[in-house]
Amino acid sequence: MKRRFLLAGSAAILLQRPAVATPVQVALLIRQLVGDAKLSEGRVKLDLPVMVENGNAVGITVSVDAPPGAVHSLHVFAEGNPQPEVLHLMFGPRAGVPRIQTRMRLATSQTVIALAHMRDGTFWQDSVDLLVTLAACID
């Protein structure tokens, strides 16, 4: 009897989906970052395809319409990934205008959010809802 219970418990553990973030958790992370500041649309441009065949390597570009040195940090959040903050970059005052190109893994169809923290204390965002037909980040 104990062996059957152990086997059934092991099978249940193996069949569980891996933990993923939720939109509420991502909103909480963003609120912790932003605090009481207003989060505005614009100035940040998030460029990635809205339909992705394979979530293993999704190309992403984040750019900010701002003068050189005006951006303090960039953040990218993926609402359905196990680790929702997929990118966090800091910039010094002598940095140029940020334009970042990279690839990221996406666990499932979800919303990706890019957020820029400016040196004047303002926060700007852009987001893209995308569909992933073959998931990644699930093992």
Side-chain angles (χ1 to χ4, degrees), residues 27-78:
L28 181 62
L29 287 172
I30 291 173
R31 187 50 47 203
Q32 288 173 350
L33 177 69
V34 172
D36 292 332
K38 180 183 174 196
L39 190 55
S40 303
E41 295 285 331
R43 294 187 81 173
V44 176
K45 174 68 175 142
L46 176 60
D47 187 23
L48 69 156
V50 293
M51 185 165 186
V52 178
E53 198 170 307
N54 186 336
N56 284 321
V58 179
I60 177 174
T61 302
V62 182
S63 57
V64 182
D65 180 21
V71 178
H72 178 265
S73 61
L74 275 178
H75 306 265
V76 176
F77 297 92

Side-chain angles (χ1 to χ4, degrees), residues 17-21 54-58 78 80-84 86 103-108 110 132 134-139:
R17 276 189 81 198
V20 296
N54 186 336
N56 284 321
V58 179
N81 276 11
Q83 296 293 324
V86 295
R103 295 189 181 278
M104 68 179 177
R105 294 181 75 176
L106 294 173
T108 185
Q110 58 190 290
V132 177
L134 180 62
C137 293
I138 55 174
D139 47 0

Side-chain angles (χ1 to χ4, degrees), residues 79-135:
E79 291 183 343
N81 276 11
Q83 296 293 324
E85 188 171 17
V86 295
L87 181 68
H88 177 183
L89 301 170
M90 304 285 290
F91 299 96
R94 297 189 331 182
V97 178
R99 184 174 188 275
I100 309 303
Q101 287 183 309
T102 189
R103 295 189 181 278
M104 68 179 177
R105 294 181 75 176
L106 294 173
T108 185
S109 299
Q110 58 190 290
T111 301
V112 177
I113 302 165
L115 187 133
H117 178 196
M118 310 302 274
R119 291 209 180 279
D120 64 4
T122 60
F123 290 87
W124 298 85
Q125 75 169 357
D126 190 16
S127 63
V128 173
D129 295 322
L130 61 107
L131 175 68
V132 177
T133 58
L134 180 62

